[in-house]
Amino acid sequence: MKGIYFIAAPDARGVALLEFFEFATGRTRQIAALDKPPYIGLTVSPDEKAILYTQWDQSGRDLMLVENFR
């Protein structure tokens, strides 16, 4: 393993960064800026050519009142 890929916390504008920390140099470099908020999950292919992460596409809630429920 050469390093660790991670998603940094969103900045003041709400943009989260996908970054890579390299063990050999101790440096972190930006891989991509994520336009939507990330969610739980990040994986990298063994050849490090593909990265898969989850993101929030939409958020919402449903509230329902049920009367006379048995």
Side-chain angles (χ1 to χ4, degrees):
M1 182 186 286
K2 299 175 188 174
I4 297 175
Y5 290 88
F6 65 96
I7 298 174
D11 62 12
R13 299 170 301 163
V15 176
L17 300 176
L18 175 60
E19 298 184 323
F20 178 73
F21 175 78
E22 188 174 14
F23 295 141
T25 63
R27 293 187 180 185
T28 300
R29 63 182 162 104
Q30 180 180 334
I31 305 298
L34 309 178
D35 59 344
K36 294 185 179 179
Y39 191 59
I40 300 170
L42 170 71
T43 190
V44 181
S45 64
D47 62 3
E48 298 183 12
K49 292 185 178 182
I51 297 174
L52 179 69
Y53 67 93
T54 57
Q55 69 183 21
W56 282 103
D57 281 335
Q58 53 182 260
S59 178
R61 304 271 192 269
D62 290 328
L63 181 61
M64 186 181 303
L65 174 62
V66 179
E67 294 181 321
N68 300 320
F69 180 77
R70 295 183 204 169

